[in-house]
């Protein structure tokens, strides 16, 4: 970790440790993977107009979210099957989040258990849920989240169907899950990962296993999750889950302002503007592009957050200037935990914190609350009059 300077360094270390099959699972998008480019390009193309002669000798990036103070405005988004990359990855990410005092969202397709998250990180752990075909499963999971002492439930709404992820299909990880010989041979070139796999076996969806027999194999659990994940999601599910869940209720995957307004009318506390990391609909706009309109639509009536394309601390500040209250990132901390466990994940959060601190000084903002659209480049570059900004 001493040689790591930025997230890109950890990405390279993760790629070195992982078989191509696993690395492609992290990196891949859908179809032509335009969405991956769209998300990152939106931040590259954004322009911040700095304000100088401001006293920024002391900077404070702490942020209050759902009545809880966090040390930084950037948390860890849900990423499924963490054990495929490093055993115990989910709880390692949770531990790193606790150390940094930021939220961690455990994936509904995690390998670790809701109950373990509740014991390790009751004040920093959120749980992501998907709608199951059998409603009793979803409702039982909500009960488990409550019993575990977690305060925030995140319903992901942007997976109406499994997307066309061609990278993993080419590796043989399709519906048949028959890995090609070249995929198997390539995996043997990554001894640290292979040793871990030989010691512990194939990872599986831990939170779903209890709804099958105790001797269910990882393949049986995966097939079960696949069969249950094709449930139609509608606003009736939002109403039902809101009724069952009394804590902070967040919808992840909202992209249209009208959907944000409807969520607010049903008592949803917050939304995460997201296109699932570019992994579902290839020609969708980036979350950053639709964020301002979404914020205008709901005003201060609910908490608007963003996920997708965050690779630098400055990106978090751009999103906040555009209206987000908080941001999440998934791939960077997944690189970190893959490369170095808790230490690697903590390194990513440390990098983001340092970059945010430096960028706040550079743009002339001493506090996160100082950020706003006044720092964004105005749309009409030919007209510099302040009233047009």
């Amino acid at each position: 970790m001493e040689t790591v300077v930025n997230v890109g360094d950890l990405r390279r270390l993760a790629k070195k440790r992982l078989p191509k099959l696993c690395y492609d699972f992290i990196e891949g998008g859908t179809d032509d993977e335009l969405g991956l480019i769209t998300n990152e390009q939106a931040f590259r193309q954004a322009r911040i107009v700095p304000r100088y002669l401001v006293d920024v000798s002391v900077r404070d990036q702490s942020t209050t979210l759902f009545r809880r103070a966090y040390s930084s405005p950037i948390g860890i988004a849900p990423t499924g099957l963490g054990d495929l990359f490093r055993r115990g990855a989910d709880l390692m990410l949770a531990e790193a989040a606790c150390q940094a005092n930021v939220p961690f969202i455990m994936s509904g397709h995690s390998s670790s258990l809701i109950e373990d998250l509740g014991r390790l990180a009751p004040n920093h752990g959120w749980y992501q849920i998907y709608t199951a075909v059998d409603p009793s499963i979803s409702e039982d999971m909500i009960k488990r989240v409550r019993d575990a002492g977690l305060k925030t439930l995140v319903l992901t709404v942007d997976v109406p169907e499994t997307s066309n992820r061609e990278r993993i299909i080419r590796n043989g990880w399709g519906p048949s899950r028959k890995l090609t010989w070249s995929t198997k041979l390539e995996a043997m070139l990554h001894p640290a990962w292979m040793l871990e796999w030989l010691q512990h076996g194939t990872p599986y969806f831990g939170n779903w296993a209890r709804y099958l027999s105790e001797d269910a194999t990882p393949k049986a659990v995966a097939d079960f999750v696949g069969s249950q994940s094709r449930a139609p999601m509608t606003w009736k599910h939002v109403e039902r889950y809101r009724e069952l869940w009394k804590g902070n209720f967040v919808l992840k995957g909202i992209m249209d302002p009208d959907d944000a307004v409807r969520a607010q009318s049903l008592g949803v506390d917050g939304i995460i503007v997201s296109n699932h990391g570019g992994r579902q609909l290839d020609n969708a706009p980036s979350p950053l592009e639709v964020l301002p309109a979404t914020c205008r639509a709901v005003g201060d009536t609910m908490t608007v957050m963003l996920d997708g394309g965050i690779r630098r601390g400055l990106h978090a500040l751009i999103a906040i200037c555009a209206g987000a209250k908080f941001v999440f990132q998934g791939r960077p901390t997944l690189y970190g935990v893959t490369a170095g466990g808790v230490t690697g994940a903590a390194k990513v959060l440390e990098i983001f914190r340092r970059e945010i601190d430096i960028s706040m000084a550079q743009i002339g903002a001493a506090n996160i609350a100082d950020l706003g659209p006044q720092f964004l480049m105005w749309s009409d570059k030919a007209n510099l009059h302040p009233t047009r900004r």
Side-chain angles (χ1 to χ4, degrees), residues 286-336:
S286 73
L288 184 64
E289 290 176 294
V290 302
L291 176 65
T294 303
C295 292
R296 287 194 298 270
V298 298
D300 296 328
T301 60
M302 68 190 315
T303 300
V304 179
M305 298 160 280
L306 177 139
D307 164 60
I310 301 286
R311 297 295 180 270
R312 290 280 186 181
L314 180 58
H315 297 167
L317 300 187
I318 291 170
I320 293 170
C321 287
K325 177 70 173 177
F326 205 87
V327 302
F328 289 89
Q329 51 70 41
R331 286 184 175 96
T333 38
L334 203 52
Y335 301 146

Side-chain angles (χ1 to χ4, degrees), residues 4 15 17-18 44 74 216 274 285 291 308 367 375:
V4 170
K15 184 177 183 179
R17 184 180 190 275
L18 291 177
R44 293 193 183 106
I74 183 167
S274 171
L291 176 65
N367 299 281
F375 287 103

Side-chain angles (χ1 to χ4, degrees), residues 164-320:
N164 181 36
R165 302 180 186 179
E166 295 178 356
R167 283 204 210 192
I168 62 174
I169 293 174
R170 293 186 190 283
N171 288 327
W173 194 354
S176 65
R177 288 193 297 281
K178 292 182 179 179
L179 302 184
T180 63
W181 277 107
S182 61
T183 296
K184 295 177 181 178
L185 292 173
E186 196 276 337
M188 296 176 69
L189 301 177
H190 305 269
W193 180 90
M194 180 59 72
L195 179 61
E196 203 171 66
W197 185 83
L198 290 172
Q199 288 177 332
H200 300 284
T202 305
Y204 66 102
F205 303 104
N207 284 307
W208 293 77
R210 70 161 53 189
Y211 304 109
L212 294 172
S213 61
E214 292 184 1
D215 60 347
T217 64
K219 182 181 183 302
V221 176
D223 289 341
F224 178 70
V225 172
S227 67
Q228 286 293 323
S229 296
R230 296 179 182 274
M233 285 182 286
T234 69
W235 289 104
K236 290 183 179 180
H237 291 96
V238 175
E239 293 181 52
R240 176 58 176 162
Y241 297 166
R242 174 72 284 183
E243 178 185 348
L244 293 172
W245 178 255
K246 305 307 179 184
N248 307 317
F249 188 35
V250 175
L251 300 190
K252 181 176 183 293
I254 295 295
M255 291 285 284
D256 188 283
D258 289 343
D259 286 344
V261 171
R262 185 163 186 180
Q264 187 277 329
S265 72
L266 295 178
V268 173
D269 300 297
I271 60 170
I272 301 177
V273 179
S274 171
N275 62 9
H276 213 91
R279 292 161 74 87
Q280 285 300 121
L281 178 63
D282 205 22
N283 282 63
S286 73
L288 184 64
E289 290 176 294
V290 302
L291 176 65
T294 303
C295 292
R296 287 194 298 270
V298 298
D300 296 328
T301 60
M302 68 190 315
T303 300
V304 179
M305 298 160 280
L306 177 139
D307 164 60
I310 301 286
R311 297 295 180 270
R312 290 280 186 181
L314 180 58
H315 297 167
L317 300 187
I318 291 170
I320 293 170

Side-chain angles (χ1 to χ4, degrees), residues 92-111:
M92 290 178 182
L93 290 169
E95 184 175 344
C98 285
Q99 292 175 3
N101 187 26
V102 297
F104 159 69
I105 308 175
M106 176 179 274
S107 170
H109 290 161
S110 65
S111 304

